[in-house]
Structures are given as C-alpha cells and as structure tokens.
Coordinates of all heavy atoms in Angstrom, one line a residue:
M101 N -12.5 -28.2 -35.5 CA -11.9 -27.1 -34.8 C -12.9 -26.0 -34.7 O -13.5 -25.6 -35.7 CB -10.6 -26.6 -35.5 CG -10.0 -25.4 -34.9 SD -8.4 -25.1 -35.7 CE -8.4 -23.4 -35.7
P102 N -13.2 -25.4 -33.5 CA -14.2 -24.3 -33.4 C -13.7 -23.1 -34.2 O -12.5 -22.9 -34.3 CB -14.3 -24.1 -31.9 CG -13.4 -25.0 -31.2 CD -12.7 -25.8 -32.2
G103 N -14.6 -22.3 -34.6 CA -14.3 -21.1 -35.3 C -13.5 -20.1 -34.4 O -13.6 -20.1 -33.2
P104 N -12.8 -19.2 -35.1 CA -12.0 -18.2 -34.3 C -12.8 -17.2 -33.6 O -12.3 -16.4 -32.8 CB -11.1 -17.6 -35.4 CG -11.8 -17.8 -36.7 CD -12.6 -19.0 -36.5
D105 N -14.1 -17.1 -33.9 CA -14.9 -16.1 -33.3 C -15.8 -16.6 -32.1 O -16.8 -16.1 -31.9 CB -15.8 -15.5 -34.4 CG -16.3 -14.1 -34.0 OD1 -15.6 -13.4 -33.2 OD2 -17.4 -13.7 -34.5
V106 N -15.2 -17.6 -31.4 CA -16.0 -18.1 -30.3 C -16.1 -17.1 -29.2 O -17.2 -16.9 -28.6 CB -15.3 -19.4 -29.7 CG1 -15.9 -19.9 -28.4 CG2 -15.3 -20.5 -30.7
A107 N -15.1 -16.3 -28.9 CA -15.1 -15.3 -27.9 C -16.1 -14.2 -28.3 O -16.9 -13.7 -27.5 CB -13.8 -14.7 -27.6
G108 N -16.1 -13.9 -29.6 CA -17.0 -12.9 -30.1 C -18.5 -13.3 -29.9 O -19.3 -12.5 -29.6
S109 N -18.8 -14.6 -30.2 CA -20.2 -15.1 -30.0 C -20.6 -15.1 -28.6 O -21.7 -14.8 -28.2 CB -20.3 -16.5 -30.7 OG -19.5 -17.4 -30.0
M110 N -19.6 -15.4 -27.7 CA -20.0 -15.4 -26.2 C -20.2 -14.0 -25.8 O -21.1 -13.7 -25.0 CB -18.8 -16.0 -25.4 CG -18.8 -17.5 -25.6 SD -17.5 -18.4 -24.7 CE -16.7 -17.3 -23.6
F111 N -19.4 -13.0 -26.3 CA -19.6 -11.6 -26.0 C -21.0 -11.1 -26.5 O -21.7 -10.4 -25.8 CB -18.5 -10.7 -26.6 CG -18.7 -9.3 -26.3 CD1 -18.5 -8.8 -25.0 CD2 -19.1 -8.4 -27.3 CE1 -18.6 -7.4 -24.8 CE2 -19.2 -7.1 -27.0 CZ -19.0 -6.6 -25.8
E112 N -21.4 -11.5 -27.7 CA -22.7 -11.2 -28.3 C -23.8 -11.7 -27.4 O -24.8 -11.0 -27.2 CB -22.8 -11.7 -29.7 CG -22.0 -10.9 -30.7 CD -22.4 -9.5 -30.8 OE1 -23.6 -9.2 -30.8 OE2 -21.5 -8.6 -31.0
E113 N -23.7 -13.0 -27.0 CA -24.7 -13.6 -26.1 C -24.8 -12.8 -24.8 O -25.9 -12.5 -24.3 CB -24.4 -15.0 -25.8 CG -25.4 -15.8 -25.0 CD -25.0 -17.2 -24.8 OE1 -24.2 -17.8 -25.5 OE2 -25.6 -17.8 -23.8
L114 N -23.7 -12.5 -24.2 CA -23.7 -11.7 -22.9 C -24.3 -10.3 -23.2 O -25.2 -9.9 -22.4 CB -22.3 -11.5 -22.4 CG -22.1 -10.7 -21.1 CD1 -22.8 -11.4 -20.0 CD2 -20.6 -10.5 -20.8
K115 N -24.0 -9.7 -24.3 CA -24.6 -8.4 -24.6 C -26.1 -8.5 -24.8 O -26.8 -7.6 -24.2 CB -23.9 -7.8 -25.9 CG -24.4 -6.4 -26.2 CD -23.7 -5.9 -27.4 CE -24.4 -6.4 -28.6 NZ -23.9 -5.7 -29.9
D116 N -26.6 -9.5 -25.4 CA -28.0 -9.7 -25.6 C -28.7 -9.9 -24.3 O -29.8 -9.3 -24.0 CB -28.3 -10.9 -26.5 CG -27.9 -10.6 -28.0 OD1 -27.7 -9.5 -28.3 OD2 -27.7 -11.6 -28.7
Q117 N -28.1 -10.7 -23.4 CA -28.7 -10.9 -22.0 C -28.7 -9.6 -21.2 O -29.7 -9.3 -20.5 CB -27.9 -12.0 -21.3 CG -28.1 -13.3 -21.8 CD -27.3 -14.4 -21.1 OE1 -26.5 -14.0 -20.2 NE2 -27.5 -15.6 -21.4
V118 N -27.7 -8.8 -21.3 CA -27.7 -7.5 -20.6 C -28.7 -6.6 -21.1 O -29.4 -5.9 -20.4 CB -26.3 -6.9 -20.6 CG1 -26.3 -5.5 -20.1 CG2 -25.3 -7.7 -19.8
L119 N -28.8 -6.5 -22.5 CA -29.8 -5.6 -23.1 C -31.2 -6.1 -22.8 O -32.1 -5.3 -22.8 CB -29.5 -5.5 -24.6 CG -28.3 -4.8 -25.0 CD1 -28.1 -4.8 -26.5 CD2 -28.3 -3.4 -24.5
D120 N -31.4 -7.4 -22.6 CA -32.8 -7.9 -22.3 C -33.1 -7.7 -20.8 O -34.1 -8.2 -20.3 CB -32.9 -9.4 -22.6 CG -32.9 -9.6 -24.1 OD1 -33.2 -8.6 -24.9 OD2 -32.6 -10.7 -24.5
N121 N -32.2 -7.0 -20.0 CA -32.3 -6.8 -18.6 C -32.5 -8.0 -17.8 O -33.3 -8.1 -16.9 CB -33.5 -5.9 -18.3 CG -33.3 -4.4 -18.8 OD1 -32.1 -4.0 -18.8 ND2 -34.3 -3.8 -19.3
D122 N -31.7 -9.0 -18.1 CA -31.6 -10.3 -17.3 C -30.9 -9.9 -16.0 O -29.7 -9.6 -16.0 CB -30.8 -11.4 -18.1 CG -30.8 -12.7 -17.3 OD1 -31.5 -12.8 -16.3 OD2 -30.1 -13.6 -17.7
S123 N -31.6 -9.9 -14.9 CA -31.1 -9.3 -13.6 C -29.9 -10.1 -13.1 O -29.0 -9.6 -12.5 CB -32.2 -9.2 -12.6 OG -32.7 -10.5 -12.3
N124 N -29.9 -11.4 -13.3 CA -28.7 -12.2 -12.9 C -27.5 -11.9 -13.6 O -26.4 -11.7 -13.0 CB -29.0 -13.7 -13.1 CG -30.0 -14.2 -12.1 OD1 -30.2 -13.6 -11.0 ND2 -30.7 -15.3 -12.4
T125 N -27.6 -11.7 -14.9 CA -26.4 -11.4 -15.7 C -25.9 -10.0 -15.4 O -24.7 -9.8 -15.3 CB -26.8 -11.5 -17.2 OG1 -27.3 -12.8 -17.5 CG2 -25.5 -11.3 -18.1
V126 N -26.8 -9.0 -15.2 CA -26.4 -7.7 -14.9 C -25.7 -7.7 -13.5 O -24.7 -7.0 -13.4 CB -27.6 -6.7 -14.9 CG1 -27.2 -5.3 -14.4 CG2 -28.2 -6.6 -16.3
G127 N -26.2 -8.4 -12.6 CA -25.6 -8.4 -11.2 C -24.2 -9.0 -11.3 O -23.3 -8.5 -10.6
I128 N -24.1 -10.1 -12.0 CA -22.8 -10.8 -12.1 C -21.8 -9.8 -12.8 O -20.6 -9.7 -12.4 CB -22.9 -12.1 -12.9 CG1 -23.7 -13.1 -12.0 CG2 -21.5 -12.6 -13.3 CD1 -24.0 -14.4 -12.8
C129 N -22.2 -9.1 -13.9 CA -21.3 -8.2 -14.6 C -20.9 -7.1 -13.7 O -19.7 -6.7 -13.6 CB -22.0 -7.7 -15.8 SG -22.1 -8.9 -17.1
V130 N -21.8 -6.5 -12.9 CA -21.5 -5.4 -12.0 C -20.5 -5.9 -10.9 O -19.6 -5.2 -10.5 CB -22.8 -4.8 -11.4 CG1 -22.5 -3.9 -10.2 CG2 -23.6 -4.1 -12.5
G131 N -20.8 -7.1 -10.4 CA -19.9 -7.7 -9.3 C -18.5 -7.9 -9.8 O -17.5 -7.6 -9.1
L132 N -18.4 -8.4 -11.0 CA -17.1 -8.7 -11.6 C -16.4 -7.3 -11.9 O -15.2 -7.2 -11.6 CB -17.2 -9.4 -12.9 CG -17.5 -10.9 -12.8 CD1 -17.8 -11.5 -14.2 CD2 -16.4 -11.6 -12.1
L133 N -17.1 -6.3 -12.3 CA -16.5 -5.0 -12.6 C -16.0 -4.4 -11.3 O -14.9 -3.9 -11.2 CB -17.5 -4.1 -13.3 CG -17.0 -2.7 -13.6 CD1 -15.9 -2.8 -14.7 CD2 -18.1 -1.9 -14.2
V134 N -16.8 -4.4 -10.2 CA -16.4 -3.9 -8.9 C -15.2 -4.7 -8.4 O -14.3 -4.1 -7.8 CB -17.6 -3.9 -7.9 CG1 -17.1 -3.6 -6.5 CG2 -18.6 -2.9 -8.4
G135 N -15.2 -6.0 -8.4 CA -14.1 -6.8 -7.9 C -12.8 -6.5 -8.7 O -11.8 -6.4 -8.1
L136 N -12.9 -6.4 -10.0 CA -11.7 -6.1 -10.8 C -11.2 -4.7 -10.4 O -10.0 -4.5 -10.3 CB -12.0 -6.2 -12.3 CG -10.9 -5.9 -13.2 CD1 -9.8 -7.0 -13.0 CD2 -11.4 -6.0 -14.7
L137 N -12.1 -3.7 -10.3 CA -11.6 -2.4 -9.9 C -11.0 -2.4 -8.5 O -9.9 -1.7 -8.3 CB -12.8 -1.4 -9.9 CG -12.5 0.0 -9.6 CD1 -11.6 0.6 -10.7 CD2 -13.8 0.8 -9.5
C138 N -11.5 -3.1 -7.5 CA -10.9 -3.2 -6.2 C -9.6 -3.9 -6.3 O -8.6 -3.4 -5.6 CB -11.8 -4.0 -5.3 SG -13.3 -3.1 -4.8
L139 N -9.4 -4.9 -7.1 CA -8.1 -5.6 -7.2 C -7.1 -4.6 -7.8 O -5.9 -4.6 -7.3 CB -8.3 -6.8 -8.1 CG -7.0 -7.7 -8.3 CD1 -6.6 -8.2 -7.0 CD2 -7.3 -8.7 -9.3
I140 N -7.4 -3.9 -8.8 CA -6.5 -3.0 -9.4 C -6.1 -1.9 -8.4 O -4.9 -1.6 -8.3 CB -7.1 -2.3 -10.7 CG1 -7.2 -3.4 -11.8 CG2 -6.3 -1.2 -11.2 CD1 -8.0 -3.0 -13.0
I141 N -7.0 -1.3 -7.7 CA -6.7 -0.3 -6.7 C -5.8 -0.9 -5.6 O -4.8 -0.2 -5.2 CB -8.0 0.3 -6.1 CG1 -8.7 1.2 -7.2 CG2 -7.7 1.2 -4.9 CD1 -10.0 1.7 -6.8
F142 N -6.1 -2.1 -5.1 CA -5.3 -2.7 -4.1 C -3.8 -2.9 -4.5 O -2.9 -2.6 -3.8 CB -5.9 -4.1 -3.7 CG -5.1 -4.8 -2.7 CD1 -5.1 -4.4 -1.4 CD2 -4.4 -5.9 -3.1 CE1 -4.3 -5.2 -0.4 CE2 -3.6 -6.6 -2.2 CZ -3.6 -6.3 -0.9
I143 N -3.7 -3.5 -5.7 CA -2.3 -3.7 -6.3 C -1.6 -2.4 -6.5 O -0.4 -2.3 -6.1 CB -2.4 -4.5 -7.6 CG1 -2.9 -5.9 -7.3 CG2 -1.1 -4.5 -8.3 CD1 -3.2 -6.8 -8.5
W144 N -2.3 -1.4 -7.0 CA -1.6 -0.1 -7.2 C -1.2 0.6 -5.9 O -0.1 1.1 -5.9 CB -2.6 0.8 -8.0 CG -2.0 2.1 -8.4 CD1 -0.9 2.3 -9.3 CD2 -2.4 3.4 -8.0 NE1 -0.7 3.6 -9.4 CE2 -1.6 4.3 -8.6 CE3 -3.4 3.9 -7.1 CZ2 -1.7 5.7 -8.4 CZ3 -3.5 5.2 -7.0 CH2 -2.7 6.1 -7.6
T145 N -2.0 0.5 -4.9 CA -1.6 1.2 -3.6 C -0.5 0.4 -2.9 O 0.3 1.0 -2.2 CB -2.8 1.4 -2.7 OG1 -3.5 0.1 -2.5 CG2 -3.8 2.4 -3.3
R146 N -0.5 -0.9 -2.9 CA 0.5 -1.7 -2.2 C 1.8 -1.6 -2.8 O 2.8 -1.6 -2.1 CB 0.1 -3.2 -2.2 CG -1.0 -3.6 -1.4 CD -0.7 -3.5 0.1 NE 0.3 -4.5 0.4 CZ 1.0 -4.5 1.5 NH1 0.7 -3.6 2.4 NH2 1.9 -5.4 1.8
R147 N 1.9 -1.4 -4.1 CA 3.2 -1.3 -4.8 C 3.9 0.0 -4.4 O 5.1 0.1 -4.3 CB 2.9 -1.4 -6.3 CG 4.2 -1.5 -7.1 CD 3.9 -1.7 -8.5 NE 3.4 -0.4 -9.0 CZ 2.9 -0.2 -10.2 NH1 2.7 -1.2 -11.0 NH2 2.4 1.0 -10.6
K148 N 3.1 1.1 -4.2 CA 3.7 2.3 -3.8 C 4.3 2.4 -2.4 O 5.3 3.0 -2.2 CB 2.7 3.5 -3.9 CG 2.2 3.7 -5.3 CD 1.1 4.7 -5.3 CE 1.7 6.1 -5.7 NZ 0.6 7.1 -5.8
S149 N 3.7 1.6 -1.5 CA 4.2 1.7 -0.1 C 5.0 0.6 0.3 O 5.5 0.5 1.5 CB 3.0 1.9 0.8 OG 2.2 0.7 0.8
L150 N 5.3 -0.4 -0.5 CA 6.0 -1.6 -0.1 C 7.4 -1.3 0.1 O 8.2 -0.7 -0.7 CB 5.9 -2.6 -1.3 CG 6.4 -4.0 -1.0 CD1 5.7 -4.6 0.2 CD2 6.4 -4.9 -2.2
G151 N 7.9 -1.6 1.3 CA 9.3 -1.5 1.7 C 9.8 -0.1 1.9 O 11.0 0.2 1.7
R152 N 9.0 0.8 2.4 CA 9.4 2.2 2.6 C 9.5 2.5 4.1 O 9.7 3.7 4.4 CB 8.4 3.1 1.9 CG 8.3 3.0 0.4 CD 9.4 3.7 -0.2 NE 9.3 3.6 -1.7 CZ 10.3 3.1 -2.4 NH1 11.4 2.8 -1.9 NH2 10.1 3.1 -3.7
D153 N 9.4 1.6 5.0 CA 9.5 1.8 6.4 C 10.7 1.1 7.0 O 10.9 -0.1 6.7 CB 8.2 1.4 7.1 CG 7.0 2.3 6.8 OD1 7.2 3.4 6.3 OD2 5.9 1.8 7.0
V154 N 11.4 1.8 7.9 CA 12.5 1.1 8.6 C 12.1 1.3 10.1 O 12.0 2.4 10.6 CB 13.8 1.8 8.3 CG1 14.9 1.2 9.2 CG2 14.2 1.7 6.8
L155 N 12.0 0.1 10.7 CA 11.6 0.1 12.2 C 12.9 0.1 13.0 O 13.8 -0.6 12.7 CB 10.8 -1.1 12.5 CG 9.4 -1.3 11.8 CD1 8.8 -2.6 12.3 CD2 8.6 -0.1 12.1
I156 N 12.9 1.0 14.0 CA 14.0 1.1 15.0 C 13.4 0.5 16.3 O 12.6 1.2 16.9 CB 14.5 2.5 15.1 CG1 15.0 3.0 13.8 CG2 15.6 2.5 16.1 CD1 15.5 4.4 13.7
C157 N 13.7 -0.7 16.6 CA 13.1 -1.4 17.8 C 14.2 -1.7 18.8 O 15.4 -1.9 18.4 CB 12.4 -2.7 17.4 SG 11.2 -2.5 16.1
G158 N 13.8 -1.9 20.0 CA 14.7 -2.3 21.1 C 14.1 -2.1 22.5 O 13.0 -1.6 22.6
P159 N 14.9 -2.5 23.5 CA 14.4 -2.4 24.9 C 14.3 -0.9 25.3 O 14.8 0.0 24.6 CB 15.4 -3.1 25.7 CG 16.4 -3.7 24.8 CD 16.2 -3.2 23.4
C160 N 13.7 -0.7 26.4 CA 13.5 0.7 26.9 C 14.9 1.3 27.2 O 15.9 0.6 27.6 CB 12.8 0.6 28.3 SG 11.1 0.3 28.1
D161 N 15.0 2.6 27.0 CA 16.2 3.3 27.3 C 17.5 2.8 26.6 O 18.6 2.8 27.1 CB 16.5 3.4 28.8 CG 15.4 4.1 29.5 OD1 14.8 5.1 28.9 OD2 15.0 3.7 30.6
S162 N 17.3 2.3 25.4 CA 18.5 1.7 24.6 C 19.0 2.7 23.6 O 20.0 2.4 23.0 CB 18.1 0.4 24.0 OG 17.1 0.6 23.0
G163 N 18.4 3.9 23.5 CA 18.9 4.9 22.6 C 18.3 5.0 21.2 O 18.9 5.5 20.2
K164 N 17.1 4.4 21.0 CA 16.5 4.4 19.7 C 16.1 5.8 19.2 O 16.4 6.1 18.1 CB 15.2 3.5 19.8 CG 15.4 2.1 20.1 CD 14.1 1.3 20.2 CE 13.2 1.8 21.3 NZ 13.7 1.6 22.7
T165 N 15.5 6.6 20.1 CA 15.2 7.9 19.7 C 16.4 8.8 19.5 O 16.4 9.6 18.6 CB 14.3 8.6 20.8 OG1 13.1 7.7 21.1 CG2 13.8 9.9 20.4
T166 N 17.4 8.6 20.3 CA 18.7 9.3 20.0 C 19.3 9.0 18.7 O 19.7 9.8 17.9 CB 19.7 9.0 21.2 OG1 19.1 9.3 22.4 CG2 21.0 9.8 21.0
L167 N 19.3 7.7 18.3 CA 19.8 7.2 17.0 C 19.0 7.9 15.9 O 19.5 8.4 14.9 CB 19.7 5.7 16.9 CG 20.1 5.1 15.6 CD1 21.5 5.4 15.3 CD2 19.8 3.6 15.6
L168 N 17.7 7.9 16.0 CA 16.8 8.5 15.0 C 17.1 10.0 14.9 O 17.2 10.5 13.8 CB 15.3 8.2 15.4 CG 14.3 8.9 14.5 CD1 14.3 8.2 13.1 CD2 12.9 8.8 15.1
S169 N 17.2 10.6 16.0 CA 17.5 12.1 16.0 C 18.8 12.4 15.3 O 19.0 13.3 14.5 CB 17.5 12.7 17.4 OG 16.2 12.5 18.0
Q170 N 19.8 11.6 15.6 CA 21.2 11.8 15.0 C 21.2 11.5 13.5 O 21.8 12.2 12.8 CB 22.2 11.0 15.7 CG 22.5 11.5 17.1 CD 23.6 10.7 17.8 OE1 24.0 9.6 17.4 NE2 24.1 11.2 18.9
L171 N 20.4 10.5 13.1 CA 20.3 10.2 11.7 C 19.6 11.4 10.9 O 20.1 11.8 9.8 CB 19.5 9.0 11.4 CG 20.2 7.6 11.6 CD1 19.2 6.5 11.5 CD2 21.3 7.5 10.6
V172 N 18.6 11.9 11.5 CA 17.8 13.0 10.8 C 18.5 14.3 10.9 O 18.6 15.1 9.9 CB 16.4 13.0 11.3 CG1 15.6 14.2 10.7 CG2 15.6 11.7 11.0
M173 N 18.9 14.7 12.1 CA 19.4 16.1 12.4 C 20.9 16.2 12.1 O 21.5 17.2 11.9 CB 19.2 16.5 13.8 CG 17.7 16.5 14.2 SD 16.9 17.8 13.3 CE 15.3 17.6 13.9
G174 N 21.6 15.0 12.1 CA 23.1 15.0 11.9 C 23.9 15.4 13.1 O 25.1 15.6 13.0
K175 N 23.2 15.6 14.3 CA 23.9 16.0 15.5 C 23.1 15.4 16.7 O 21.9 15.2 16.6 CB 24.0 17.5 15.6 CG 22.7 18.2 15.6 CD 22.8 19.7 15.7 CE 21.5 20.4 15.7 NZ 21.5 21.8 15.7
P176 N 23.7 15.3 17.9 CA 23.0 14.8 19.0 C 21.9 15.8 19.5 O 22.1 17.0 19.4 CB 24.1 14.7 20.1 CG 25.4 14.7 19.4 CD 25.2 15.4 18.1
V177 N 20.8 15.3 19.8 CA 19.7 16.1 20.2 C 19.2 15.5 21.6 O 19.2 14.3 21.8 CB 18.5 16.1 19.2 CG1 17.3 16.9 19.6 CG2 19.0 16.6 17.8
E178 N 18.8 16.4 22.5 CA 18.2 16.0 23.8 C 16.9 15.3 23.5 O 16.0 15.8 22.9 CB 18.1 17.1 24.7 CG 17.6 16.7 26.1 CD 17.5 17.9 27.1 OE1 17.9 19.0 26.7 OE2 17.0 17.7 28.1
T179 N 16.8 14.1 24.1 CA 15.5 13.3 23.9 C 15.0 12.9 25.2 O 15.7 12.9 26.2 CB 15.8 12.0 23.0 OG1 16.7 11.2 23.7 CG2 16.3 12.4 21.6
Y180 N 13.7 12.4 25.2 CA 13.0 11.9 26.4 C 12.5 10.5 26.0 O 12.4 10.2 24.8 CB 11.9 12.9 26.8 CG 12.4 14.2 27.1 CD1 12.5 15.3 26.2 CD2 12.9 14.5 28.4 CE1 13.0 16.5 26.5 CE2 13.4 15.7 28.7 CZ 13.4 16.7 27.8 OH 13.9 18.0 28.1
T181 N 12.0 9.8 27.0 CA 11.5 8.5 26.8 C 10.2 8.6 25.9 O 9.3 9.4 26.2 CB 11.1 7.8 28.1 OG1 12.2 7.8 29.0 CG2 10.5 6.5 27.9
S182 N 10.2 7.9 24.8 CA 9.1 7.9 23.9 C 7.9 7.2 24.4 O 8.0 6.1 25.0 CB 9.5 7.3 22.5 OG 10.6 7.9 21.9
M183 N 6.7 7.7 24.2 CA 5.5 7.1 24.6 C 4.7 6.7 23.4 O 3.8 5.8 23.6 CB 4.7 8.1 25.5 CG 5.4 8.6 26.7 SD 6.0 7.2 27.8 CE 4.5 6.8 28.6
V184 N 4.9 7.2 22.3 CA 4.2 6.9 21.0 C 5.2 6.7 19.9 O 6.4 7.1 20.0 CB 3.2 8.0 20.6 CG1 2.1 8.2 21.7 CG2 3.9 9.4 20.4
L185 N 4.7 6.2 18.8 CA 5.6 6.0 17.6 C 6.1 7.4 17.1 O 5.3 8.3 17.1 CB 4.8 5.4 16.5 CG 4.5 3.9 16.6 CD1 3.6 3.5 15.4 CD2 5.7 3.1 16.7
N186 N 7.3 7.5 16.8 CA 7.9 8.6 16.1 C 8.1 8.2 14.6 O 8.9 7.3 14.4 CB 9.2 9.1 16.7 CG 9.0 9.6 18.1 OD1 8.1 10.4 18.4 ND2 9.9 9.2 19.0
I187 N 7.4 8.8 13.7 CA 7.6 8.5 12.3 C 8.2 9.7 11.6 O 7.5 10.8 11.6 CB 6.3 8.1 11.6 CG1 5.7 6.9 12.4 CG2 6.5 7.8 10.1 CD1 4.3 6.5 11.9
I188 N 9.4 9.6 11.0 CA 10.0 10.7 10.4 C 10.4 10.3 8.9 O 11.2 9.3 8.8 CB 11.3 11.2 11.2 CG1 10.8 11.6 12.5 CG2 12.0 12.3 10.4 CD1 11.9 12.0 13.4
P189 N 9.9 11.1 7.9 CA 10.4 10.8 6.6 C 11.9 11.2 6.4 O 12.3 12.2 6.9 CB 9.5 11.6 5.7 CG 8.9 12.6 6.5 CD 8.9 12.1 8.0
W190 N 12.6 10.4 5.7 CA 14.1 10.6 5.5 C 14.4 10.5 4.1 O 14.2 9.5 3.4 CB 14.9 9.6 6.3 CG 16.3 10.0 6.5 CD1 16.9 11.2 6.6 CD2 17.4 9.1 6.5 NE1 18.2 11.1 6.7 CE2 18.6 9.8 6.6 CE3 17.5 7.7 6.4 CZ2 19.9 9.2 6.7 CZ3 18.8 7.1 6.4 CH2 19.9 7.9 6.6
Q191 N 14.9 11.6 3.5 CA 15.2 11.6 2.0 C 16.6 11.3 1.8 O 17.5 11.9 2.4 CB 14.9 13.0 1.5 CG 15.2 13.2 0.0 CD 14.2 12.3 -0.8 OE1 13.0 12.3 -0.5 NE2 14.7 11.7 -1.8
V192 N 16.8 10.2 1.0 CA 18.2 9.8 0.6 C 18.4 10.3 -0.8 O 17.5 10.2 -1.6 CB 18.3 8.3 0.7 CG1 19.7 7.8 0.2 CG2 18.0 7.7 2.0
E193 N 19.5 11.0 -1.0 CA 19.8 11.6 -2.3 C 19.7 10.6 -3.4 O 20.3 9.6 -3.5 CB 21.2 12.2 -2.3 CG 21.4 13.2 -3.4 CD 22.7 14.0 -3.2 OE1 23.0 14.4 -2.1 OE2 23.5 14.0 -4.2
G194 N 18.9 11.0 -4.4 CA 18.7 10.2 -5.6 C 17.8 9.0 -5.4 O 17.7 8.1 -6.3
R195 N 17.2 8.8 -4.3 CA 16.3 7.7 -4.0 C 14.9 8.2 -3.5 O 14.8 9.3 -3.0 CB 16.9 6.8 -2.9 CG 18.3 6.3 -3.3 CD 18.3 4.9 -3.7 NE 19.6 4.5 -4.0 CZ 19.9 3.3 -4.4 NH1 18.9 2.5 -4.6 NH2 21.1 3.0 -4.7
P196 N 13.9 7.3 -3.5 CA 12.6 7.7 -2.9 C 12.8 7.8 -1.4 O 13.6 7.1 -0.8 CB 11.7 6.6 -3.3 CG 12.3 5.8 -4.3 CD 13.8 6.1 -4.3
S197 N 12.0 8.7 -0.7 CA 12.1 8.8 0.7 C 11.6 7.6 1.4 O 10.8 6.8 0.9 CB 11.3 10.1 1.2 OG 10.0 9.8 1.0
I198 N 12.2 7.4 2.6 CA 11.8 6.3 3.5 C 11.3 6.8 4.8 O 11.6 8.0 5.1 CB 12.9 5.2 3.7 CG1 14.1 5.9 4.4 CG2 13.3 4.6 2.4 CD1 15.2 5.0 4.8
N199 N 10.5 6.1 5.5 CA 10.0 6.5 6.8 C 10.8 5.7 7.9 O 10.8 4.5 7.9 CB 8.5 6.1 7.0 CG 7.6 7.0 6.1 OD1 7.9 8.1 5.9 ND2 6.6 6.4 5.6
L200 N 11.4 6.5 8.8 CA 12.1 5.9 9.9 C 11.1 5.9 11.1 O 10.5 6.9 11.4 CB 13.3 6.8 10.3 CG 14.4 6.9 9.3 CD1 15.5 7.9 9.7 CD2 15.0 5.5 9.0
V201 N 10.8 4.7 11.6 CA 9.8 4.5 12.6 C 10.5 4.1 13.9 O 11.1 3.1 14.0 CB 8.8 3.5 12.2 CG1 7.7 3.4 13.3 CG2 8.1 3.8 10.9
D202 N 10.4 5.0 14.9 CA 10.9 4.7 16.3 C 9.8 4.1 17.1 O 8.8 4.8 17.4 CB 11.4 6.0 16.9 CG 11.9 5.9 18.3 OD1 12.3 4.8 18.7 OD2 11.9 6.9 19.0
V203 N 10.0 2.8 17.4 CA 9.0 2.1 18.2 C 9.4 2.2 19.7 O 10.5 1.8 20.0 CB 8.9 0.6 17.8 CG1 7.8 -0.1 18.6 CG2 8.6 0.6 16.3
P204 N 8.5 2.7 20.6 CA 8.9 2.8 22.0 C 9.1 1.5 22.6 O 8.5 0.5 22.2 CB 7.7 3.5 22.7 CG 6.7 3.8 21.6 CD 7.2 3.2 20.3
G205 N 10.1 1.4 23.5 CA 10.4 0.1 24.1 C 9.4 -0.2 25.2 O 8.6 0.7 25.6
H206 N 9.4 -1.4 25.6 CA 8.5 -1.8 26.7 C 9.1 -2.9 27.6 O 10.0 -3.6 27.1 CB 7.1 -2.2 26.2 CG 7.2 -3.4 25.3 ND1 7.6 -3.3 24.0 CD2 7.0 -4.7 25.5 CE1 7.6 -4.5 23.4 NE2 7.2 -5.4 24.3
E207 N 8.7 -3.0 28.8 CA 9.2 -4.0 29.7 C 8.6 -5.3 29.5 O 7.6 -5.5 29.1 CB 9.0 -3.5 31.1 CG 9.7 -2.3 31.5 CD 11.3 -2.4 31.4 OE1 11.8 -3.4 31.7 OE2 11.9 -1.4 31.1

C-alpha cells in the first residue's frame, strides 16, 4: 500500500519544478489557475441570473404591452405598438425581483 503522503510528495515535486523555473510546468499551472478562476466566475454569475426573466410573447397587436403595463402600474395605460424590447423589473413582496420582458410581435 502506498504511503499516505503520496499527494504531498507530488506537491513537493511540482513545487521544485516551479522553483527551478521549468517553463512548461509554470505555463500549465498558470493555465489551470486561470481556467479554474473562469469556471468559478461563470458558475457564480449564472446562478444569480438563472430564471429571473418572464417573456411576454405573442402576435402583433395582441395586447402584450397593455398586459405588461397593467401588471406593473396596476391600471390601464395608453400604449403604442412596440418596436423594441421592453424590460421592466417587477418586485414581488418577499421574493427576489424578476424582469418582465415584452417581446414585440412580428408578422
């Protein structure tokens, strides 16, 4: 059975190679560090924004913008045909806010 300090001996060998300025080992270590950092940042940012958008889609002139306005304002509001996305944050009591996204209809 190998000794319990196999990982420690591998770490010592890696440390010796880095201290001896072995360019391949240094490059691999830097690459692994950058890759790990990118993975952590990607996972952290995806978790925060996952599932926070509600798309309101449908044909032209079907009342999507009117529905969005009534949800946010609580009363009917005069609207016009949307040409671009309307994104409005909506706070639900006791919950994180969500984004209501009004997607313009098209023929």
